[in-house]
Amino acid sequence: MTTMLEVAKRAGVSKATVSRVLSGNGYVSQETKDRVFQAIEESGYRPNLLARNLATRRTQTLGLVVTNTLYHGVYFSELLFHAARMTEEKGRQLILADGKHSADEEREAIQYLLDMRCDAIIIYPRFLSVEEMDDIIQKHEQPIMVLNRRLRKNSSHCVWSDHKASCQAAVSQLIDMGHRDIAFITGSLDSPTGIERLSGYKDALAQHHIPLNDALIVEGKWNPESGALGVSTLLSRGETFTALVASNDDMAIGAVKQLHDSGVATPGQVSVIGFDDVSIAPYIIPSLSSVRIPVTEMIKETISRLIFMLDGGDFTLQQTFSGELILRDSVIAGPHV
Amino acid sequence: MTTMLEVAKRAGVSKATVSRVLSGNGYVSQETKDRVFQAIEESGYRPNLLARNLATRRTQTLGLVVTNTLYHGVYFSELLFHAARMTEEKGRQLILADGKHSADEEREAIQYLLDMRCDAIIIYPRFLSVEEMDDIIQKHEQPIMVLNRRLRKNSSHCVWSDHKASCQAAVSQLIDMGHRDIAFITGSLDSPTGIERLSGYKDALAQHHIPLNDALIVEGKWNPESGALGVSTLLSRGETFTALVASNDDMAIGAVKQLHDSGVATPGQVSVIGFDDVSIAPYIIPSLSSVRIPVTEMIKETISRLIFMLDGGDFTLQQTFSGELILRDSVIAGPHV
DNA sequence: TTGTAGGCGTTATCAA
DNA sequence: TTGATAACGCCTACAA
């Protein structure tokens, strides 16, 4: 690999001059500029970003930590798509680190990004506690933002969506439409999102003075298979219901299939609501409603804040201005009875 | 950020010794080891990977270039999922660069990864020609592998799946089952994959001496909407057909929906085959067959080769051993008439 | 077993 | 307008 020094020699100037030409900082005559550019051309020179970043103490990269388990599915694709796009729009590069499937590995991933000297970091946590993340944020000078979780201390360093409230709204909607026996398929209950949605379901019932029937609740694992299994379980319990809420669209799809296969109902006969608005879902089951989580808006806000901090924005001030950011889920389309 | 020098001072040793302790190279007494570790602990020292990589001329990273347009959907998720997993299994890190949506941007992405001094690079091309990639591979000393394209010169530097052959097989299957009027929805025809599948369709017809009816072919754009639109177009042309092949599952799903909405057929009445085996598809349309592309196996082979080269494997030799790698698509499940 | 010193390829601060 | 030269933080002979 040809280095800056070789370019300098070839152009008959010093390293410093070449550096100036490349960075655009400092004066340099048009004449030498031309010679340098020619030398670069001839030698096929390419800057070594490692060296540059080491010297400037800036890498122009944002790090993103996401769990492996999120990789499958449209939700992650959308997140990544927009994260990459926005990052590059701001003249930076996104670096992805895999949080895998444990708290330890999630920590490692964060550490890696820090060691790589990413200018800023986005964490989409799965296993780390809110406390630990508050801790991490305070321990490091790099700007860090947390997605999909509500922090206690560094409330301006997180962007989240109120899963509980939106689930409650969805269930309330069903109740308003006259439903009383509403089945619920949870997500994995080791995930905050899963817990929050379940909790929203319970709250909605309580709010409308409908007694909670535990037999109408089954635990799922976010995938279609567990949605189908959930329906089987409900049926084997001998439960009847006129509506069903699944904690995400994948499970909802599996559930509808199972309802159909069991001969219990045709799609449309039981009101089903899912979450995440997987783009292909309506092509499958037109009767499927879904609560859309504004991933795009959330990642956009996240990156904006990060860039703002990198540009020296006074974040304490910013915080008092906008306070805690809560992006509410949009209204559901309404179930079909 | 505390540096190695500070750790050294605190432990009362030299930088070199600290470095030895960390890397595990060279002798160092247990006693000083302990002192160094303690100093690291106390100071919260973290190695600067930029500096380390600059000094060692190794980054332990693999770069991956993918187009933005691939981001959506399960196919990409699976690719990324396994790429990340395998890379980390081999003790390395995956760095993703966005190829966006033009040849220029694809080149830029590759260049970025090279400038970052990734040890090796994987390209999943969308716009670059085979010739240019052959060129790139020869110009750079880093190992480079190309996915989903068949290179002329560096045939051992690519892993691809024979889209034409597998499409031909799928269509032949339909013909064997008695179909004669088989409609075809293409992918984007600026993509090699799209062209190859179309070509497989035509070959199958020719092989069975079935005259080609251009009116049975419509151009799609890989998404469900274009699949639905394709069916509308076919119907508006007054064409009749007993089977339909869409160049991917997303379009197939859209197509089935449109067939249904138009009242032309219920799902199952027209044989439909898609590609890519999107995991959720069978939950939607049990009658949908699909040709599975072995992404997992392909990415696995790709990374294996890369690592092999990094470890100093003699690639010219390797090539003569295994020759050109062709991963054939698995047999389709068979359409329902 | 440990320390010294030079190098990795840039940037950035001074003088000239 | 240009050129030395010292960082940046780490690795690695070589010497001790």
Side-chain angles (χ1 to χ4, degrees):
Chain A
M1 286 257 99
T2 103
T3 79
M4 192 175 249
L5 183 61
E6 301 175 48
V7 173
K9 280 180 185 162
R10 187 189 286 262
V13 296
S14 72
K15 283 192 304 178
T17 302
V18 178
S19 178
R20 278 186 207 104
V21 173
L22 252 43
S23 68
N25 299 333
Y27 297 100
V28 47
S29 76
Q30 187 58 49
E31 187 190 12
T32 43
K33 245 184 208 164
D34 292 344
R35 255 188 305 142
V36 169
F37 277 129
Q38 192 184 344
I40 288 177
E41 194 75 21
E42 290 171 5
S43 61
Y45 167 78
R46 286 263 93 210
N48 183 325
L49 294 187
L50 294 173
R52 172 180 295 171
N53 294 341
L54 179 61
T56 56
R57 302 156 135 284
R58 275 268 192 167
T59 59
Q60 311 288 16
T61 58
L62 300 194
L64 172 63
V65 182
V66 198
T67 314
N68 232 337
T69 57
L70 249 184
Y71 276 35
H72 293 300
V74 182
Y75 186 83
F76 170 69
S77 303
E78 192 172 338
L79 178 73
L80 189 59
F81 174 80
H82 286 101
R85 226 174 63 81
M86 277 214 58
T87 308
E88 303 211 11
E89 257 171 28
K90 303 287 185 179
R92 274 132 173 141
Q93 250 285 329
L94 189 72
I95 294 196
L96 187 68
D98 193 341
K100 299 193 193 152
H101 23 249
S102 76
D104 269 344
E105 292 169 313
E106 218 163 76
R107 275 186 214 104
E108 254 178 51
I110 296 174
Q111 199 52 260
Y112 177 77
L113 295 176
L114 289 168
D115 293 349
M116 279 284 273
R117 297 302 185 265
C118 286
D119 292 340
I121 289 177
I122 303 167
I123 307 175
Y124 195 114
R126 174 67 218 271
F127 302 101
L128 291 185
S129 70
V130 169
E131 291 71 29
E132 184 164 355
M133 287 185 303
D134 259 325
D135 228 56
I136 291 178
I137 290 176
Q138 288 179 326
K139 256 198 201 91
H140 300 278
E141 45 206 17
Q142 294 93 329
I144 298 179
M145 287 286 297
V146 173
L147 257 171
N148 196 38
R149 207 121 309 172
R150 185 179 190 170
L151 298 183
R152 298 277 318 152
K153 298 180 190 165
N154 307 76
S155 51
S156 56
H157 286 245
C158 65
V159 168
W160 53 286
S161 142
D162 195 337
H163 298 303
K164 182 175 166 184
S166 56
C167 186
Q168 183 173 351
V171 174
S172 291
Q173 178 82 311
L174 289 171
I175 295 173
D176 289 346
M177 295 175 82
H179 293 283
R180 285 298 170 271
D181 301 307
I182 304 173
F184 189 79
I185 303 180
T186 75
S188 298
L189 291 182
D190 62 347
S191 94
T193 302
I195 294 172
E196 286 164 30
R197 287 186 180 158
L198 173 57
S199 152
Y201 165 75
K202 290 181 176 171
D203 278 13
L205 294 185
Q207 187 187 330
H208 293 82
H209 310 295
I210 298 176
L212 177 68
N213 177 2
D214 278 326
L216 279 176
I217 301 176
V218 286
E219 182 171 353
K221 302 183 166 194
W222 299 123
N223 56 17
E225 289 76 13
S226 69
L229 189 63
V231 165
S232 299
T233 306
L234 287 169
L235 296 179
S236 73
R237 285 178 188 164
E239 292 297 325
T240 59
F241 45 92
T242 63
L244 169 67
V245 174
S247 294
N248 77 353
D249 279 357
D250 277 0
M251 293 194 297
I253 289 167
V256 168
K257 176 184 158 56
Q258 190 59 43
L259 282 172
H260 181 70
D261 287 359
S262 304
V264 172
T266 59
Q269 222 176 345
V270 172
S271 289
V272 177
I273 303 186
F275 285 80
D276 296 351
D277 197 31
V278 170
S279 67
I280 216 155
Y283 275 97
I284 306 158
I285 310 152
S287 67
L288 177 66
S289 297
S290 187
V291 178
R292 177 176 149 64
I293 309 298
V295 213
T296 307
E297 291 78 358
M298 286 169 68
I299 192 71
K300 199 171 151 181
E301 177 65 27
T302 303
I303 293 183
S304 293
R305 291 203 168 204
L306 246 24
I307 302 286
F308 178 71
M309 295 165 90
L310 285 177
D311 289 347
D314 185 347
F315 213 83
T316 318
L317 208 64
Q318 168 79 352
Q319 184 181 358
T320 39
F321 262 96
S322 62
E324 205 162 61
L325 180 80
I326 302 179
L327 291 167
R328 299 213 172 269
D329 305 318
S330 46
V331 179
I332 60 171
H336 307 249
V337 191
Chain B
M1 287 260 96
T2 102
T3 79
M4 192 175 248
L5 182 61
E6 302 176 46
V7 173
K9 280 181 188 162
R10 186 188 286 263
V13 297
S14 72
K15 284 194 302 178
T17 302
V18 177
S19 177
R20 277 184 207 108
V21 173
L22 252 43
S23 67
N25 299 335
Y27 297 100
V28 48
S29 75
Q30 187 58 46
E31 188 190 11
T32 44
K33 247 184 208 164
D34 292 343
R35 257 188 303 143
V36 169
F37 276 129
Q38 192 183 345
I40 289 177
E41 193 77 20
E42 290 171 8
S43 59
Y45 167 78
R46 285 265 94 209
N48 182 326
L49 294 188
L50 295 173
R52 172 182 295 174
N53 293 342
L54 179 60
T56 56
R57 302 155 134 281
R58 274 270 191 166
T59 59
Q60 310 288 16
T61 58
L62 299 195
L64 172 63
V65 182
V66 199
T67 314
N68 231 338
T69 56
L70 248 184
Y71 274 35
H72 293 300
V74 181
Y75 187 84
F76 171 68
S77 303
E78 192 171 338
L79 178 72
L80 189 59
F81 174 80
H82 287 102
R85 224 173 64 81
M86 276 213 59
T87 308
E88 303 212 11
E89 258 171 28
K90 303 287 186 179
R92 272 129 174 145
Q93 251 285 330
L94 189 73
I95 293 195
L96 187 68
D98 194 341
K100 299 195 193 148
H101 23 249
S102 76
D104 269 345
E105 291 169 314
E106 218 162 78
R107 274 185 215 105
E108 254 178 52
I110 296 174
Q111 199 51 261
Y112 176 78
L113 295 176
L114 289 168
D115 293 349
M116 279 284 273
R117 297 301 186 268
C118 286
D119 292 341
I121 289 178
I122 303 168
I123 306 176
Y124 196 114
R126 174 66 220 272
F127 301 101
L128 291 185
S129 70
V130 170
E131 291 71 29
E132 184 164 356
M133 287 183 304
D134 259 325
D135 229 56
I136 291 177
I137 290 177
Q138 287 179 327
K139 256 198 201 89
H140 300 279
E141 47 207 17
Q142 294 93 330
I144 298 179
M145 286 287 298
V146 173
L147 258 171
N148 197 38
R149 208 121 308 172
R150 183 178 190 169
L151 299 183
R152 298 280 314 155
K153 298 180 190 165
N154 306 77
S155 51
S156 56
H157 287 244
C158 65
V159 168
W160 52 287
S161 138
D162 194 336
H163 298 304
K164 181 173 165 185
S166 56
C167 186
Q168 183 174 351
V171 174
S172 291
Q173 178 83 313
L174 289 171
I175 295 173
D176 288 346
M177 294 174 82
H179 293 283
R180 286 298 171 271
D181 302 307
I182 304 172
F184 189 79
I185 303 179
T186 74
S188 299
L189 291 182
D190 63 346
S191 93
T193 302
I195 293 171
E196 285 165 31
R197 287 186 181 157
L198 173 57
S199 152
Y201 165 75
K202 290 181 176 171
D203 277 13
L205 293 185
Q207 188 188 330
H208 293 82
H209 309 295
I210 297 177
L212 179 67
N213 176 3
D214 279 326
L216 279 177
I217 301 177
V218 287
E219 183 171 351
K221 301 182 167 195
W222 299 124
N223 56 18
E225 289 76 14
S226 69
L229 189 64
V231 165
S232 299
T233 305
L234 287 169
L235 295 180
S236 73
R237 285 179 187 162
E239 291 298 326
T240 57
F241 45 91
T242 62
L244 170 68
V245 174
S247 295
N248 77 353
D249 279 356
D250 278 1
M251 293 194 297
I253 289 167
V256 168
K257 176 185 158 56
Q258 190 58 42
L259 282 172
H260 180 70
D261 288 359
S262 304
V264 171
T266 58
Q269 223 175 344
V270 173
S271 289
V272 177
I273 304 188
F275 285 81
D276 295 352
D277 198 31
V278 170
S279 68
I280 218 157
Y283 275 96
I284 306 159
I285 309 152
S287 66
L288 177 67
S289 298
S290 187
V291 178
R292 176 175 151 63
I293 309 297
V295 214
T296 306
E297 290 77 358
M298 285 169 69
I299 192 70
K300 200 172 152 182
E301 178 64 28
T302 302
I303 295 184
S304 293
R305 291 202 169 204
L306 246 25
I307 302 287
F308 177 71
M309 294 166 91
L310 285 177
D311 290 348
D314 184 346
F315 213 84
T316 318
L317 208 65
Q318 168 78 353
Q319 185 182 357
T320 39
F321 263 98
S322 61
E324 206 162 59
L325 180 79
I326 302 179
L327 291 167
R328 299 213 172 270
D329 306 316
S330 47
V331 179
I332 59 172
H336 307 247
V337 193

